[in-house]
Amino acid sequence: MTRGSSFVLFTLSVVLGVACAGRGGGPARCPGEGWCGPAEVAERMAEAAAGSTLTCPIHIESAYATQPPAAAEGAEAPPEQGLPPGVPAGAHGTLDEKGTRKLRDDGDAATCCYTWVAPCPA
């Protein structure tokens, strides 16, 4: 490789490195294990804008489970707060349609399954 080619490749790598630096601020995200739970628990973590299918929210975030519940008019008691067992803090879940559909086919109409992306361990 000529000296000019080496310089061009070095300059290009520096420019691309600077352009990508700082993107996606925050901790790195890692694939997590799956989670299955009752639809009403998944609803506590639901991102409403994503919609639902198979009676389950399509996208859930663990952060929503730790927020104070909105006061519902005429409600007897507020919904339970906190992370359900098996749900990692800081995780985002996407409906596992294949797993949830299998549950529906087996007669379980109340459980939703998700795959997680969670913050990587430090």
Side-chain angles (χ1 to χ4, degrees):
M1 187 180 299
T2 67
R3 183 178 171 144
S5 298
S6 296
F7 179 74
V8 168
L9 288 175
F10 172 76
T11 303
L12 184 59
S13 66
V14 168
V15 169
L16 290 175
V18 169
C20 294
R23 289 201 177 174
R29 311 295 279 173
C30 292
E33 296 180 19
W35 174 81
C36 294
E40 63 269 8
V41 173
E43 286 291 334
R44 289 191 353 235
M45 298 181 286
E47 183 176 334
S52 63
T53 186
L54 300 171
T55 69
C56 299
I58 293 173
H59 187 260
I60 58 177
E61 294 192 30
S62 64
Y64 295 151
T66 58
Q67 294 175 354
E73 191 173 319
E76 293 179 16
E80 183 181 335
Q81 272 185 267
L83 288 175
V87 176
H92 299 262
T94 303
L95 184 67
D96 175 359
E97 288 190 46
K98 184 177 179 181
T100 302
R101 190 170 306 281
K102 170 114 174 65
L103 291 172
R104 298 297 180 271
D105 292 345
D106 291 343
D108 182 345
T111 303
C112 302
C113 292
Y114 294 86
T115 55
W116 288 109
V117 177
C120 293

